[in-house]
């Protein structure tokens, strides 16, 4: 976005649905439908109000839509990260927690926990990595593996809310 004008609330509030969705589609990992459905709630008085509208869309979504959003997220320190196939946002977020600098033992532990989690829930483990470090992420992976599916879907949506809010706060000015 280096050459683009800054994303201001005034500019976002004046955009048509396509422009709005294109401008903010990065907020929810490969799932612009969340942004698209929140467009009708304009004008937004603050970035928080913008995010709240998007979270209302997400809370009202079907379980199938929620699972599709969860499954659009990459595994932490997974194959996509190694192959450098993550979105720019995910790459920066994983690096902020040191997940791009794991020892062999740490990488093996992440791989083992990711595999167990995926086998149990059929979706990747989601956590707002920018609010955590390697140790707290590993602890959360271990603790949350005991959750039932409904609790883990709810927790993943909560974490996606934190991730998307951080992304919006980084990109949108008043």
């Amino acid at each position: 976005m280096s050459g683009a004008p800054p994303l201001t609330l005034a500019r976002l509030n004046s955009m048509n649905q396509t422009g709005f969705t294109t401008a903010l589609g990065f907020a929810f990992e490969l799932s612009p439908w969340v942004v698209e459905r929140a467009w009708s709630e304009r004008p937004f008085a603050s970035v928080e109000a913008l995010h709240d509208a998007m979270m209302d869309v997400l809370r009202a979504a079907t379980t199938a839509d929620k699972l599709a959003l969860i499954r659009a997220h990459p595994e932490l320190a997974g194959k996509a990260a190694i192959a450098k196939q993550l979105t720019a946002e995910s790459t920066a977020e994983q690096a902020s927690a040191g997940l791009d600098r794991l020892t062999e033992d740490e990488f093996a532990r992440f791989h083992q926990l990711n595999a167990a989690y995926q086998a149990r829930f059929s979706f990747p483990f989601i956590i707002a990595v920018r609010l955590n470090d390697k140790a707290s992420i590993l602890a959360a992976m271990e603790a949350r593996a005991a959750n039932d599916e409904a609790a883990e879907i709810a927790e993943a949506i909560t974490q996606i809310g934190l991730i998307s809010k951080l992304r919006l706060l980084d990109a949108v000015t008043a």
Side-chain angles (χ1 to χ4, degrees), residues 123-171:
F123 53 80
F125 176 83
I126 309 289
I127 193 166
V129 294
R130 284 170 58 184
L131 302 177
N132 289 278
D133 59 21
K134 290 184 284 192
S136 64
I137 294 167
L138 286 168
M141 290 176 91
E142 292 168 356
R144 286 172 46 192
N147 286 346
D148 64 25
E149 183 181 46
E152 204 46 34
I153 289 171
E155 183 59 29
I157 295 301
T158 296
Q159 294 296 318
I160 288 168
L162 294 170
I163 294 164
S164 60
K165 187 167 191 176
L166 290 168
R167 288 178 178 184
L168 289 171
L169 288 170
D170 284 347

Side-chain angles (χ1 to χ4, degrees), residues 7 17 28 32 34 38 63 66-67 73-75 87 95 110 139-140 142 156:
L7 283 176
Q17 190 173 29
F28 292 85
V34 180
T63 299
K66 289 176 185 174
L67 285 170
H73 285 75
E75 276 190 351
T87 63
F110 267 96
E142 292 168 356

